[in-house]
């Protein structure tokens, strides 16, 4: 009986491990209506290859639950990001950078999350950095408890603490506090 119970538990654990390892998808192709010719026109030139998303571009991302979908735009980029007060500053040898995210709920379910939990930046060496709590002069911080109805949006800055000499190359955003299987990625130029 114990052997059967242990084998059953081992089988369940293996199934959960395989489910948790489902492949992640990185989305970098911006949403564009301008990429196709206008109705009634033809184009002899081939369509250029898709460019990687950059600051200002919108990516459509799906969450883990049915109906969860956001149009995510990084509206602005601040490097360095300046503290709003004299008491909060980056640690010695570091600086703050920040991205202003606009999240528009294009799905059918309410988006309820802490958006900054699902974002990070990476430098040109591949080092990744998580968010930090900071109030910056560029504008209000992203809410930590977003509840966005279908058709509504939320806007705010997310700040990251990085080494002073790091050249930030990418910003990533993933729904469901970073646990959705689809990640949006923008190149920082």
């Amino acid at each position: 009986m114990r052997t059967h119970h242990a084998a059953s538990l081992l089988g369940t654990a293996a199934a959960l491990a395989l489910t948790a390892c489902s492949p992640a998808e990185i989305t970098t192709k911006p949403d564009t209506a301008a990429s196709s010719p206008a109705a009634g026109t033809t184009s002899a030139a081939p369509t250029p290859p898709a460019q990687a998303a950059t600051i200002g571009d919108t990516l459509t991302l799906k969450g883990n639950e049915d109906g969860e979908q956001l149009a995510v735009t990084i509206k602005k980029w601040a490097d360095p990001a300046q503290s709003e007060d004299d008491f909060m500053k980056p640690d010695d040898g570091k600086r703050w950078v920040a991205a202003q995210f606009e999240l528009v709920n294009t799905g059918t379910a309410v988006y309820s999350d802490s958006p900054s939990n699902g974002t990070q930046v990476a430098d040109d060496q591949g080092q990744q950095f998580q968010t930090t709590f900071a109030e910056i002069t560029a504008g209000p911080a992203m809410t930590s408890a977003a509840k966005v109805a279908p058709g509504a949006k939320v806007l705010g800055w997310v700040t990251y603490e990085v080494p002073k000499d790091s050249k930030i190359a990418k910003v990533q955003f993933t729904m469901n506090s970073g646990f959705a299987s689809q990640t949006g990625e923008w190149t920082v130029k």
Side-chain angles (χ1 to χ4, degrees), residues 101 115-121 129-131 158 160 171-174:
F101 283 89
S116 63
N117 288 346
T119 180
Q120 62 185 1
V121 295
F129 306 97
Q130 303 300 317
T131 60
V158 177
Y160 314 84
V171 180
Q172 292 183 332
F173 177 83
T174 308

Side-chain angles (χ1 to χ4, degrees), residues 153-165:
K153 69 179 176 181
V154 64
L155 178 73
W157 287 88
V158 177
T159 305
Y160 314 84
E161 186 171 78
V162 302
K164 275 192 178 180
D165 60 350

Side-chain angles (χ1 to χ4, degrees), residues 20-95:
C21 293
S22 63
E25 174 187 336
I26 304 241
T27 300
T28 61
K29 184 180 176 194
D31 299 346
T32 59
S35 64
S36 57
T41 64
T42 59
S43 173
T47 304
Q51 299 295 315
T54 58
I55 306 305
D57 288 333
T58 300
L59 300 175
T60 297
L61 303 173
K62 293 189 184 300
N64 289 332
E65 302 298 323
D66 287 341
E68 288 183 332
Q69 180 174 290
L70 295 176
V72 181
T73 307
I74 298 181
K75 304 290 273 182
K76 297 177 185 174
W77 176 251
D79 184 2
Q82 302 298 320
S83 179
E84 193 171 69
D85 64 53
D86 292 334
F87 302 104
M88 291 196 67
K89 302 269 185 206
D91 290 340
D92 287 341
K94 299 196 175 182
R95 74 182 193 281

